[in-house]
Amino acid sequence: MAKVEVHPNGASLARATAEHFVDLANRCINEGGLFSVALAGGSTPKAVYARLAGEELDWGSVHIFWGDERCVPPDHPDSNYLMARKALLDHIPIPPENVYRMRGEIPPEQAAAEYEQELRDFFAGSNGHQPSAFSYQPTFDLILLGMGEDGHTASLFPGTSVLEEKERWVVAVPHETPPPPLVSRLSLTLPAINAAAQVTFIVAGGGKAAILKQALSPPSRPILPTQMIQPAHGDLLWLVDQAAAGSGR
Ligand code: 6PG
């Protein structure tokens, strides 16, 4: 069952999300020696990453991935990596080998296959599996997600075939219709996201009120991609601001 926390405004939402990140990271590092997190793209998480840049954390035990990426070079203004690098990575003592960038600058299918192998190697190693065994899942300790006004999350857009993917963990997504930017994407799939121990949506702004109300309602046809995020064994948390929650919540 999803848990929803409503915060008064964007600043308190960013603070609460950063605190949630740090608390979970400390718990995972204390219990298992590392913390694996997939960052969300878009603009909402930027304030969270800026707050995290000031947090005391054992960054050497944190492993940072992405939930999705635009197929652009890492110095392109549309790059989710660039946003996180400027807001967070440039300000923390994280070893470069702990940052797993989706390579948006190479052919999308090649980048998706490469990233999937990186995930398989990482989660095989951290869970004691052999990379050849396909029985294990990418059990991220935390996946941060945003939501678009059309109900997409990561780069899983309504009505697209990637929503049917049952095996692969990372896919290349052609993207030629709004929302912008109209570039191909790389995205974790539903199986990969739903294997996480904790999935946390962060949603802010009155422009998201209508879609958030729909996303938190019992699914009706067509089911939104965000409503397909149902962690099999993990927890689902929505951190939203009052504007997105709409009046009267
Ligand atoms: C992306 C994101 C995408 C984003 C939503 C919300 O690459 O654009 O991963 O899923 O989270 O579109 O974006 P905003 O936070 O900018 O509203």
Side-chain angles (χ1 to χ4, degrees):
M1 185 63 192
K3 183 180 172 196
V4 181
E5 281 184 17
V6 182
H7 294 273
N9 53 52
S12 56
L13 174 63
R15 183 168 56 247
T17 309
E19 287 169 1
H20 170 65
F21 182 111
V22 169
D23 291 348
L24 193 56
N26 282 326
R27 187 169 358 121
C28 291
I29 292 167
N30 292 337
E31 291 171 4
L34 65 84
F35 176 61
S36 57
V37 55
L39 299 183
S43 56
T44 305
K46 190 173 178 180
V48 178
Y49 303 159
R51 289 195 72 89
L52 284 173
E55 292 286 348
E56 284 299 315
L57 195 59
D58 174 10
W59 290 106
S61 299
V62 177
H63 295 261
I64 292 182
F65 301 81
W66 274 260
D68 74 326
E69 183 55 281
R70 291 78 178 271
C71 293
V72 295
D75 59 355
H76 189 284
D78 285 338
S79 165
N80 287 334
Y81 164 80
L82 182 64
M83 183 273 276
R85 205 207 77 200
K86 286 183 173 178
L88 175 60
L89 302 180
D90 285 349
H91 309 285
I92 57 174
I94 189 166
E97 64 271 20
N98 286 27
V99 178
Y100 305 76
R101 183 176 67 84
M102 290 179 163
R103 292 208 299 157
E105 68 275 23
I106 66 176
E109 290 294 347
Q110 178 189 342
E114 175 189 275
Y115 206 70
E116 172 135 356
Q117 192 54 57
E118 277 197 271
L119 292 181
R120 290 191 179 277
D121 293 346
F122 177 82
F123 286 104
S126 60
N127 295 350
H129 290 290
Q130 293 306 315
S132 56
F134 276 59
S135 60
Y136 60 98
Q137 293 296 311
T139 52
F140 285 99
D141 294 313
L142 173 62
I143 297 182
L144 287 175
L145 293 173
M147 177 175 64
E149 294 184 18
D150 60 353
H152 81 262
T153 190
S155 287
L156 305 174
F157 294 94
T160 56
S161 60
V162 293
L163 296 171
E164 310 302 322
E165 179 58 51
K166 298 286 188 280
E167 300 300 327
R168 292 188 295 170
W169 297 356
V170 185
V171 290
V173 183
H175 185 65
E176 293 154 2
T177 55
L182 303 186
V183 292
S184 292
R185 312 292 183 91
L186 301 168
S187 184
L188 295 185
T189 60
L190 289 169
I193 296 171
N194 283 330
Q198 167 78 50
V199 177
T200 299
F201 280 97
I202 170 171
V203 182
K208 301 280 178 74
I211 195 67
L212 181 63
K213 184 174 173 60
Q214 184 180 346
L216 295 178
S217 303
S220 58
R221 297 279 175 223
I223 298 177
L224 298 175
T226 45
Q227 292 175 311
M228 299 176 183
I229 303 300
Q230 299 165 9
H233 307 291
D235 297 322
L236 180 58
L237 171 64
W238 290 81
L239 297 177
V240 305
D241 70 0
Q242 186 61 63
S247 57
R249 269 189 78 93

